[in-house]
């Protein structure tokens, strides 16, 4: 058809520049916040800017980062998972029980423990997802139930006691600092994030997670089964809770039924500070890593500054609220830029 | 002229689009002013400036002789401006009555909502717009046209000096439109000024005094409507003529039956229905608002549960219990509610288009972004979607362009039978023409097409056959040779006038 009308795509702001602006607002914002508070504490807190302290921070964020990676999937798909802390506890006692089995050689025991942790976590996560989609119950409620059930199960499995005596090679690996700067458990956390990033960014599955979180009815009417992806997201969250339990064992060398209390809130905080929207469909897992870093840097920095244990939670709580407020502004900005 | 509203050099820029530039316009007190323009011309943006949703980047607005700078929709209401927006904004989990009265819920002592007064007032408003539904019904249970009527009723619930209607008739059928026009005339007689936006060019002559045309954010002209005809309006809007809008292709002869539905029963109260569409046939589905057309299509597609019925594709019975079964068997359903059921509003244009068949642009579960962009760009070009890029969020497209994206996503899937529920809702006349041509291409490729539309002339222009719904029942199957607006309408009324 011949016509006089204009080209379809007209752009005073070039798409490339819009992309860059989007990147600045979405990802660079949190990164900048991390840099700023790091600089702040380096300048004010004694011992903060030492390599020893940096190593300590890397070690400390590992568990939360792994949990938060799975949590990112759940929140992106439009749910929430309050059970990861006690699922982690359950997995630590399961993993430790397997590992101290004398009839197995250490290598086999460790491998089996890893599989047992991942399987236990995945089953808990699957149940979360299946129950909440099958009976259309908000995941908030279902995972609150799982929080209690898994905590109870952890006590049953461990007979309400901590489990010690893990293989020496396992303990040694947990203390390993590769090349003098990279703690082994931090490496695990980064690998989990990298895997999550790859899945969310490049795969069909990842695309569907975003789509389901954006509008699950539209996804259903497009010929998909949104529940499948929701259940998968919860299963992934359970799986990462299992991996986080292994990291816990590496770091603390005990399986404990009272491990992980409150971990779910730290994981959610990392995800939200990292810019993932609680209403689903928007966010990034790299942001989650940065969010976890921000939380730990704050915590360590405040401690080194001599802010008492009573005041620390107040400050951190404020930061979380601030992050959500900023998120509201960021959404508005992004809406205009896209 | 006594101007109630005047705009001076108003401009609004979004990153990626100049929505309005240098628009100067005055609306006379008491007139009904029509605003026309292609999809993305800036009509809704202009309205949103009046509503206080956006603020102009340049220029000034005066209302009632005073500078008018609303910061929020509440400011606009206080000034006496009422607006029915193009996109529906009702709260789905509240009742119709609560939605209607949300601003001023009738109260008893201690702030307790007076349920009786609430429902009786709501009932009166619904009666005015001709919606015969219990006001306690939750809004989520309504069809799009019914929601549109609730929006209109809501605007009538308070007195206003200026009433703005942004494409109120896009989903309405003739009786509702007639009633709306009667309301408009009555308000006009009371001295209310009205701004009215529509893509249904034939209807504006009945109510309009003057018309303003926008193109690419600029004002083309303001005219008295008297003495103008549809072709004049089209030329002002798109700068060219459109001959033979529908382009009925007589060379296409429908073949064997592609899809047939026998004894489909949705619920205990609704009657059984049966119909069929052939390969290469465009089957129209007519009926009044709420006559059960959309519901029948949804049940057939597996989107809603059904009690009974046999669906056959190419003569073979298929089991459809969820949309994914329907899609697997080669059906598509373009839903009437693009915002709630069609689009991933916060996701980009390309991702919206490819969601219907990601296997086409992926290998081993990995998405090939380049293939995705190419496919999306192709369809965006074909349908002339106006977007700053295919990475723009669909939320920021104009209404008509969003509609084109919904169509594009099903064209991308390319299934053998398409069910299109209001495919041209809010699409401008130029782009309609292109969509019609596409449909003829699909028909020539032997696809079966079912077209549900509230626009009767459109159905009569496009279809080989029209089936007519009345109160959930199929009351007529009219071949093209017997098309007659009066006849089809009387069929549509049939079950409602019966004692
Ligand atoms: N929030 C926004 N961000 C970016 N661009 C926008 C935004 N809102 C509107 N636009 C752009 O401004 C232009 C005008 O849009 P507008 O909604 O006013 O069109 P319209 O005339 O109402 O079209 P339609 O007939 O399709 O409803 C479009 O190109 C649209 O993409
Ligand atoms: Mg519009």
């Amino acid at each position: 058809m011949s016509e006089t009308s204009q080209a379809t795509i007209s752009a005073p702001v070039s798409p490339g520049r819009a992309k860059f602006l989007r990147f600045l607002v979405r990802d660079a914002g949190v990164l900048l916040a991390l840099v700023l508070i790091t600089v702040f504490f380096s300048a004010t807190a004694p011992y903060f800017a030492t390599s020893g302290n940096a190593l300590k921070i890397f070690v400390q964020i590992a568990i939360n980062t792994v949990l938060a990676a799975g949590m990112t999937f759940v929140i992106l798909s439009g749910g929430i998972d309050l059970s990861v802390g006690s699922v982690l506890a359950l997995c630590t006692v399961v993993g430790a029980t397997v590992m101290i089995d004398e009839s197995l050689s250490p290598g086999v025991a460790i491998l089996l423990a890893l599989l047992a942790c991942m399987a236990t976590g995945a089953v808990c996560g699957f149940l979360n997802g299946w129950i909440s989609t099958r009976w259309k119950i908000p995941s908030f409620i279902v995972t609150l139930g799982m929080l209690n059930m898994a905590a109870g199960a952890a006590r049953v499995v461990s007979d309400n006691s901590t489990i010690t005596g893990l293989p020496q090679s396992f303990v040694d690996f947990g203390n390993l600092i590769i090349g003098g700067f990279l703690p082994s458990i931090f490496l695990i956390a980064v690998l989990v994030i990298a895997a999550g990033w790859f899945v969310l960014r490049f795969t069909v599955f990842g695309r569907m997670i975003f789509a389901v979180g954006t509008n699950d009815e539209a996804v259903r009417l497009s010929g998909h089964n949104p529940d499948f992806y929701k259940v998968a997201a919860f299963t992934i969250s359970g799986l990462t809770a299992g991996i986080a339990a292994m990291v816990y064992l590496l770091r603390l060398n005990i399986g404990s039924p009272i491990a992980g209390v409150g971990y779910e809130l730290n994981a959610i905080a990392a995800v939200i500070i990292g810019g993932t929207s609680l209403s689903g469909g928007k966010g990034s897992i790299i942001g989650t890593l940065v969010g976890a870093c921000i939380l730990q840097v704050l915590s360590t920095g405040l401690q080194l500054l001599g802010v008492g244990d009573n005041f620390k939670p107040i400050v951190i709580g404020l930061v979380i609220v601030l992050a959500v407020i900023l998120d509201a502004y960021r959404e508005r900005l992004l809406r205009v830029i896209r | 002229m006594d101007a109630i509203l005047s705009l001076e050099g108003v401009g609004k820029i979004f990153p990626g689009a100049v929505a309005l530039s240098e628009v100067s316009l005055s609306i006379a007190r008491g007139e009904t002013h029509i605003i026309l323009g292609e999809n993305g011309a800036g009509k809704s943006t202009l309205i949103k400036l009046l509503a206080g949703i956006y603020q102009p980047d340049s220029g000034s607005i005066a209302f009632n002789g005073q500078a008018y700078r609303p910061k929020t929709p509440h400011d606009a209401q206080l000034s006496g401006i009422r607006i029915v927006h193009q996109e529906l904004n009702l709260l789905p989990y509240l009742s119709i009555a609560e939605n209607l009265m949300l601003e001023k819920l009738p109260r008893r002592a201690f702030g307790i909502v007076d349920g009786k007064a609430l429902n009786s007032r709501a009932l009166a408003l619904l009666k005015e717009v001709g919606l015969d539904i219990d006001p306690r019904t939750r809004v989520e249970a309504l069809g799009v046209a019914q929601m549109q009527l609730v929006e209109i009723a809501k605007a009538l619930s308070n007195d206003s000096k200026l009433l703005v209607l942004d494409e109120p008739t896009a989903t309405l059928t003739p009786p509702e439109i007639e009633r709306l026009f009667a309301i408009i005339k009555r308000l006009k007689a009371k001295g209310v000024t009205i701004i009215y936006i529509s893509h249904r060019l034939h209807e504006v002559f009945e109510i309009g005094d003057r018309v303003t045309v926008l193109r690419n954010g600029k004002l083309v002209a303001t005219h008295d409507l008297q003495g103008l005809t549809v072709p004049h309006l089209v030329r002002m809007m798109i700068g060219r003529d459109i001959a033979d809008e529908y382009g009925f292709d007589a060379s296409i002869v429908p073949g064997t039956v592609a899809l047939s539905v026998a004894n489909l029963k949705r619920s205990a109260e609704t009657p059984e229905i049966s119909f069929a569409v052939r390969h290469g046939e465009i089957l129209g589905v007519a009926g009044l608002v709420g006559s059960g057309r959309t519901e029948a299509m949804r049940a057939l597609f597996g989107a809603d549960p059904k009690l009974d019925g046999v669906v056959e594709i190419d003569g073979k019975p298929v089991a459809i219990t969820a949309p994914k079964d329907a899609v697997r068997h080669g059906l598509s359903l373009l839903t009437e509610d693009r915002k709630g059921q069609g689009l991933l509003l916060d996701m980009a244009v390309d991702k919206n288009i490819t969601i219907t068949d990601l296997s086409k642009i992926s290998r081993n579960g990995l998405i090939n972004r380049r293939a995705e962009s190419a496919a999306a760009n192709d369809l965006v070009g074909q349908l002339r979607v106006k977007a700053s890029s295919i990475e723009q969020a669909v939320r920021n497209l104009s209404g008509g362009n969003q509609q084109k994206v919904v169509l594009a996503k099903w064209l991308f899937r390319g299934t053998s039978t398409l069910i299109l529920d209001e495919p041209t809702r809010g699409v401008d006349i130029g782009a309609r023409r292109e969509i019609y041509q596409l449909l003829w291409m699909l028909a020539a490729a032997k696809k079966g097409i079912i077209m549900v539309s509230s626009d009767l002339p459109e159905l009569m222009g496009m279809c080989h056959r029209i089936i007519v719904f009345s109160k959930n029942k199929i009351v007529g199957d009219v071949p093209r040779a017997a098309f007659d607006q009066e006849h089809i309408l009387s069929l549509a009324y049939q079950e409602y006038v019966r004692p």
Side-chain angles (χ1 to χ4, degrees):
Chain A
M1 262 184 50
S2 70
E3 66 249 330
T4 51
S5 57
Q6 76 296 336
T8 8
I9 294 191
S10 57
V13 176
S14 73
R17 216 183 116 207
K19 219 177 192 171
F20 179 66
L21 282 173
R22 224 147 58 208
F23 163 77
L24 270 187
V25 177
R26 163 142 286 158
D27 294 319
V30 252
L31 204 57
L32 188 69
L34 176 60
V35 170
L36 285 180
I37 56 173
T38 307
V39 168
F40 172 76
F41 284 123
S42 301
T44 56
Y47 311 115
F48 186 86
T50 59
S51 61
N53 187 48
L55 273 181
K56 217 165 103 196
I57 290 180
F58 283 147
V59 168
Q60 281 168 330
I61 66 170
I63 296 173
N64 190 29
T65 303
V66 175
L67 284 178
M71 186 69 75
T72 307
F73 278 81
V74 171
I75 293 183
L76 279 177
S77 72
I80 191 99
D81 188 350
L82 298 180
S83 70
V84 290
S86 61
V87 170
L88 175 136
L90 173 60
C91 293
T92 62
V93 295
V94 169
T97 309
V98 172
M99 235 185 278
I100 58 173
D101 190 327
E102 308 251 296
S103 63
L104 299 168
S105 75
V108 175
I110 294 169
L111 194 67
L112 279 182
L114 175 64
L115 290 177
C117 276
M118 288 176 26
T120 308
V123 167
C124 292
F126 174 81
L127 285 176
N128 279 333
W130 181 65
I131 293 171
S132 76
T133 52
R134 172 70 181 70
W135 283 282
K136 305 212 182 313
I137 308 170
S139 54
F140 184 85
I141 308 289
V142 177
T143 57
L144 195 60
M146 180 59 77
L147 183 153
N148 287 299
M149 287 190 287
R155 283 200 208 123
V156 173
V157 172
S158 66
D159 207 8
N160 220 354
S161 57
T162 51
I163 302 168
T164 53
L166 304 183
Q168 193 54 43
S169 54
F170 184 75
V171 174
D172 288 344
F173 179 69
N175 292 329
L176 182 67
I177 294 175
I178 302 162
F181 69 96
L182 184 62
S184 57
I185 60 173
F186 183 67
L187 178 66
I188 295 175
V190 170
L191 287 178
V192 170
I193 290 280
W197 175 77
F198 181 83
V199 169
L200 285 174
R201 195 177 159 101
F202 296 108
T203 68
V204 170
F205 177 80
R207 171 70 57 83
M208 294 305 295
I209 292 285
F210 279 98
V212 165
T214 304
N215 184 347
D216 61 346
E217 181 63 2
V219 168
R220 186 177 79 97
L221 292 171
S222 299
H224 302 280
N225 179 5
D227 288 351
F228 171 82
Y229 297 97
K230 290 183 190 170
V231 175
F234 278 101
T235 309
I236 288 173
S237 179
L239 193 74
T240 53
I243 297 173
M246 281 305 269
V247 175
Y248 186 95
L249 291 173
L250 282 168
R251 182 152 119 70
L252 297 160
N253 307 330
I254 53 166
S256 162
I258 53 165
V261 175
Y263 281 19
E264 60 281 347
L265 298 181
N266 273 334
I268 294 170
V271 175
I272 301 303
I273 292 175
T276 296
S277 148
L278 257 181
S279 51
K282 281 167 285 183
S284 90
I285 199 166
I286 301 293
T288 298
L289 174 61
V290 179
C293 290
I294 288 179
L295 272 177
Q296 192 56 50
V297 166
L298 261 179
S299 173
T300 307
L302 289 171
Q303 199 167 3
L304 290 177
L305 270 186
V307 176
D309 273 352
N310 299 342
F311 275 104
K312 227 173 65 184
I314 298 182
V315 177
I316 292 177
L318 277 176
V319 168
I320 294 173
V321 174
L322 194 71
V324 179
I325 294 175
L326 279 178
D327 184 56
Y329 279 98
R330 177 167 48 202
E331 278 317 309
R332 232 181 279 171
L333 257 175
L334 277 175
R335 220 165 256 187
V336 176
I337 290 171
R338 292 198 91 176
Chain B
M1 183 179 79
D2 174 18
I4 185 167
L5 180 76
S6 53
L7 286 77
E8 269 301 319
V10 168
K12 179 75 197 168
I13 299 175
F14 296 109
V18 180
L20 289 172
S21 79
E22 291 290 316
V23 172
S24 299
L25 168 68
S26 22
I27 308 285
R29 191 179 302 280
E31 78 166 327
T32 299
H33 199 103
I34 312 287
I35 299 183
L36 301 177
E38 287 179 293
N39 295 133
K43 305 178 295 296
S44 297
T45 303
L46 184 71
I47 301 313
K48 286 176 186 164
L49 295 181
L50 299 181
I53 295 173
Y54 298 143
Q55 275 68 45
D57 293 324
S58 56
S60 63
I61 306 177
F63 181 65
N64 259 333
Q66 280 168 3
Y68 175 66
R69 288 188 213 93
K71 291 274 169 295
T72 62
H74 189 65
D75 293 348
Q77 281 166 14
L78 288 182
S79 317
I81 298 184
R82 290 266 140 192
I83 295 173
V84 176
H85 287 287
Q86 178 176 16
E87 298 304 329
L88 305 165
N89 296 304
L90 299 170
L91 304 171
Y93 304 123
L94 294 185
S95 71
I96 298 178
E98 285 161 340
N99 265 286
L100 284 175
M101 307 300 239
L102 204 53
E103 283 156 39
K104 265 202 255 165
L105 286 170
R107 275 164 232 238
R108 291 181 307 180
F110 307 115
I112 296 169
V113 175
D114 182 348
K116 224 182 244 161
L118 177 71
N119 287 324
S120 70
R121 267 187 241 171
L123 204 57
L125 281 169
L126 290 181
K127 209 165 152 205
E128 200 166 346
V129 294
L131 190 57
D132 182 18
I133 283 190
D134 186 338
R136 287 168 300 189
T137 315
R138 290 222 276 181
V139 161
E140 64 172 341
L142 301 181
V144 171
Q146 292 165 327
M147 290 190 204
Q148 179 74 63
L149 289 172
V150 173
E151 287 274 14
I152 294 170
K154 189 174 172 189
L156 300 177
S157 72
N158 287 70
D159 283 337
S160 57
K161 299 193 191 80
L162 174 65
L163 176 64
V164 182
L165 300 159
D166 193 351
E167 297 193 33
T169 54
T171 53
L172 302 184
T173 54
E176 294 92 29
I177 295 176
E178 224 164 85
R179 201 171 325 226
L180 174 65
F181 284 3
I183 295 172
I184 290 177
K185 285 174 190 160
R186 202 168 63 233
L187 290 175
K188 192 177 170 192
K190 282 205 302 197
V192 177
T193 309
I194 289 158
I195 296 179
Y196 185 93
I197 297 174
S198 180
H199 285 296
R200 297 195 174 174
L201 303 181
H202 293 272
E203 69 185 22
V204 303
F205 295 95
E206 192 183 334
I207 46 166
D209 296 310
R210 291 195 304 156
V211 57
T212 289
V213 177
L214 297 177
R215 199 193 298 169
N216 285 330
K218 294 194 192 64
L219 192 141
V220 177
T222 298
H223 256 287
D224 280 334
L225 257 181
Q226 194 138 44
L228 292 185
T229 60
V230 171
H232 285 127
L233 297 181
V234 172
R235 212 168 310 134
M236 284 201 283
M237 272 173 68
I238 63 178
R240 65 194 153 99
D241 290 319
I242 288 196
D244 185 20
E245 186 181 350
Y246 303 109
F248 186 85
D249 189 342
S251 70
I252 295 174
V253 182
T256 56
V257 171
L259 165 78
S260 78
V261 180
N263 306 325
L264 177 77
K265 199 164 170 59
R266 286 196 286 121
S267 67
E269 302 89 59
T270 53
E272 290 180 351
I273 53 170
S274 307
F275 61 91
V277 62
R278 296 168 177 283
H279 285 285
E281 180 180 45
I282 301 184
L283 171 70
V285 181
L288 305 182
V289 168
S291 60
R293 299 168 298 171
T294 294
E295 290 78 359
M297 298 307 147
R298 284 179 59 92
L300 149 65
F301 192 69
D304 292 332
K306 56 176 174 280
L307 285 185
D308 204 4
V310 180
V311 178
E312 287 185 351
I313 289 173
D314 287 320
K316 282 191 274 304
V318 291
I320 295 176
T321 55
K324 67 176 168 33
D325 304 327
V327 169
R328 201 179 55 236
H329 286 115
L331 294 183
S332 299
L333 173 67
L334 182 148
T335 50
E336 58 169 356
D337 179 4
R338 59 177 172 243
K339 190 171 158 186
Q341 300 166 359
L343 292 170
L344 307 164
L345 279 180
D346 286 315
M347 291 176 74
V349 172
D350 54 354
K351 295 177 180 169
N352 269 277
I353 291 175
T354 55
I355 189 81
T356 47
D357 194 357
L358 288 164
S359 68
K360 277 209 183 101
I361 51 136
S362 63
R363 256 176 73 190
N364 305 325
L366 294 184
I367 292 178
N368 178 347
R369 281 291 286 161
R370 203 172 294 157
E372 179 168 42
S373 301
N377 265 322
D378 212 35
L379 282 161
V380 160
Q382 234 180 80
L383 292 171
R384 292 208 288 134
V385 179
K386 195 175 166 200
S388 62
S389 84
I390 53 169
E391 290 182 22
Q392 190 175 17
V394 171
R395 181 186 292 282
N396 291 340
L397 299 185
S398 79
N401 285 301
Q402 291 182 355
Q403 187 66 34
K404 293 186 202 168
V405 174
V406 183
L407 190 60
K409 80 179 225 191
W410 288 113
L411 293 178
F412 177 72
R413 171 93 200 180
T415 47
S416 62
T417 303
L418 291 102
I419 306 169
L420 309 172
D421 197 353
E422 305 282 359
T424 59
R425 172 183 167 205
V427 174
D428 72 50
I429 184 159
R432 260 171 208 245
R433 176 72 225 262
E434 261 137 76
I435 290 176
Y436 298 150
Q437 281 186 332
L438 256 164
L439 294 185
W440 288 118
M441 260 170 54
L442 295 172
K446 290 291 167 216
K447 310 217 180 229
I449 298 169
I450 300 176
M451 186 169 181
V452 182
S453 175
S454 54
D455 187 348
L456 201 45
E458 171 178 271
L459 287 182
M460 301 204 319
M462 287 298 291
C463 298
H464 292 101
R465 209 155 49 89
I466 294 178
I467 55 176
V468 187
F469 274 70
S470 186
K471 235 187 197 167
N472 300 315
K473 202 165 152 186
I474 295 182
V475 292
D477 185 341
V478 189
R480 187 168 181 90
F483 281 180
D484 171 66
Q485 181 143 352
E486 293 302 310
H487 175 54
I488 292 173
L489 268 179
S490 71
L491 282 172
Y493 270 120
Q494 181 176 307
E495 296 296 313
Y496 295 92
V497 293
R498 261 201 202 150

